[in-house]
Amino acid sequence: MEEKKNKWLAVAVGTGVFLVFLLIGAVAVSWHMIYGKVQETDRDWTAVWQAEEESGAGQIGEEAKQTEEKSHEPVRCETNGFSFEVYEDWESAENGEYAYMIQGEAGAYYIWLNGVSMLGAGTMQEMYEDLALYYQDEVEEYQVSYYDKELMEVILTDHVVCQWGVVHGSNGTGIYDTMVVMVPDKNYMITFGGYTEEGEEEELLGIMVPLCESLEFEIGSRDAISGNTFLTETGGRLCLHQDGTFELYDAQGGEGSGDYGGTYEVYYGEQAVDEAVRSLDLPPEIVERIISYNMGGYALGGVFPDNVPEGRMRYRICRDTFYVVSLHINSRISEAGGEEAIEERDANYFGFYIPELESMDFVDETTYEYAVWKFQCVTEG
């Protein structure tokens, strides 16, 4: 249990200390300083969304509306492979990146990006409750009043499904809310902090909710394979065209080698999961195991993680970067560039695209040998 708690501390808090900005000066308050009796609560989200609508999805107070120096125009902040929306008239807090002050009807509100991490393969509700209890049991000088009893499912842009909940607390002088956002298909756990001394909680959440709703993710948002050219680990070159045809130029030579052409199909995300089960005859539980076991960080050659040596560098992957690629080889390319029809055969691969490396780490469905494709360029023609 102790190991589990330590894991989720790292997930929610990240590696740094965040700052709460009071009206008199800038006073740093550590996110580590939380304790108290925690109670579960069923939050009435209707009032929160009503506050959001009345405020203009983040614009709080007449003072903000009348700002002359900066207009109330949305601005996207990008970091760690995702982005969220703030506004030009939000004042940047001088002591923190992605930290803002917003003047509201009842007072000033402070919002900041608190922590970012891989979500991993745990149960989200259990992780969320462990996190709230960790703050209760382990962190001092900050009282956690209550937390939402159940995570709420919310659909973000591009039909991305997330679940979120709020941990509510007080430091004796002000209200402090932390929104915990879990995005399983993108493998993210993100926390935003909010604080106010004079304001009201519903107004604070009326700022934080649209901020969380504006989250967008780069990872797994598009097909990273089709229409691109890749270098293979044997020195070959795979040219995939947008029209669904390909050429594979084999630089290795030797018996059975050569240059080939044909057509291809690419599946990623949930479609790849379905295709792996339907066409590659992989048992559903094996596919789910491959994805879930690698959510904590993918090591090269780790489609089957039991075979990965310890100490290898690990990279972020997610359900939406799981791929199945089928090459339908139906021609042989001569040295002169001509094509000769041959009996069609298939080469099927499954594995992960690694955005940080711009490469595919695949397993050949027939031989179960690893194949690595490294992005070279967009295919011409």
Side-chain angles (χ1 to χ4, degrees), residues 99-313:
Y100 308 91
M101 191 279 285
I102 305 100
Q103 183 63 43
E105 295 285 354
Y109 296 86
Y110 302 89
I111 308 295
W112 62 95
L113 174 62
N114 185 40
V116 181
S117 183
M118 298 181 196
L119 181 58
T123 302
M124 287 183 289
Q125 183 67 35
E126 181 181 352
M127 291 158 49
Y128 171 68
E129 292 174 359
D130 285 349
L131 177 61
L133 293 174
Y134 183 92
Y135 294 148
Q136 171 195 352
D137 297 337
E138 302 294 337
V139 189
E140 299 180 350
E141 297 183 13
Y142 199 99
Q143 291 187 337
V144 177
S145 308
Y146 61 84
Y147 63 95
D148 293 338
K149 185 168 65 174
E150 294 184 357
L151 292 169
M152 180 179 181
E153 183 173 286
V154 179
I155 299 177
L156 305 175
T157 305
D158 296 330
H159 308 289
V160 174
V161 178
C162 77
Q163 294 191 30
W164 72 36
V166 178
V167 179
H168 170 91
S170 172
N171 66 349
T173 59
I175 299 169
Y176 185 13
D177 282 342
T178 298
M179 289 201 69
V180 183
V181 184
M182 300 180 176
V183 193
D185 287 352
K186 302 299 182 181
N187 193 17
Y188 274 91
M189 183 176 184
I190 302 169
T191 58
F192 287 97
Y195 178 83
T196 182
E197 258 198 3
E198 300 175 341
E200 300 175 354
E201 183 183 26
E202 297 303 340
E203 194 171 15
L204 176 60
L205 290 173
I207 304 172
M208 298 179 71
V209 166
L211 185 149
C212 293
E213 288 178 323
S214 72
L215 282 166
E216 294 181 359
F217 298 86
E218 173 63 25
I219 188 170
S221 62
R222 60 182 177 81
D223 180 355
I225 304 301
S226 300
N228 293 324
T229 294
F230 295 86
L231 300 178
T232 70
E233 76 277 18
T234 59
R237 188 160 52 95
L238 175 62
C239 304
L240 303 173
H241 299 275
Q242 285 289 359
D243 64 0
T245 62
F246 76 90
E247 295 92 35
L248 174 60
Y249 300 98
D250 186 359
Q252 191 174 26
E255 186 177 354
S257 66
D259 301 336
Y260 296 93
T263 61
Y264 72 93
E265 298 169 64
V266 173
Y267 306 88
Y268 69 101
E270 205 60 44
Q271 289 186 340
V273 173
D274 295 340
E275 185 67 13
V277 174
R278 180 176 60 251
S279 299
L280 305 187
D281 294 326
L282 289 174
E285 60 272 15
I286 294 298
V287 178
E288 294 297 335
R289 179 176 177 269
I290 289 172
I291 295 174
S292 64
Y293 274 36
N294 286 293
M295 291 288 265
Y298 182 82
L300 295 177
V303 173
F304 296 105
D306 293 343
N307 300 327
V308 178
E310 293 185 5
R312 285 195 179 180
M313 182 72 178

Side-chain angles (χ1 to χ4, degrees), residues 13 16-20 28-32 34 112-114 176 178:
V13 181
V17 175
F18 65 80
L19 301 179
V20 174
V29 179
S30 171
W31 178 235
H32 299 278
I34 305 174
W112 62 95
L113 174 62
N114 185 40
Y176 185 13
T178 298

Side-chain angles (χ1 to χ4, degrees), residues 74-78 82-86 157 211 214-216:
V75 178
R76 293 210 71 85
C77 296
E78 298 183 3
F82 67 93
S83 66
F84 55 92
E85 195 171 80
V86 300
T157 305
L211 185 149
S214 72
L215 282 166
E216 294 181 359

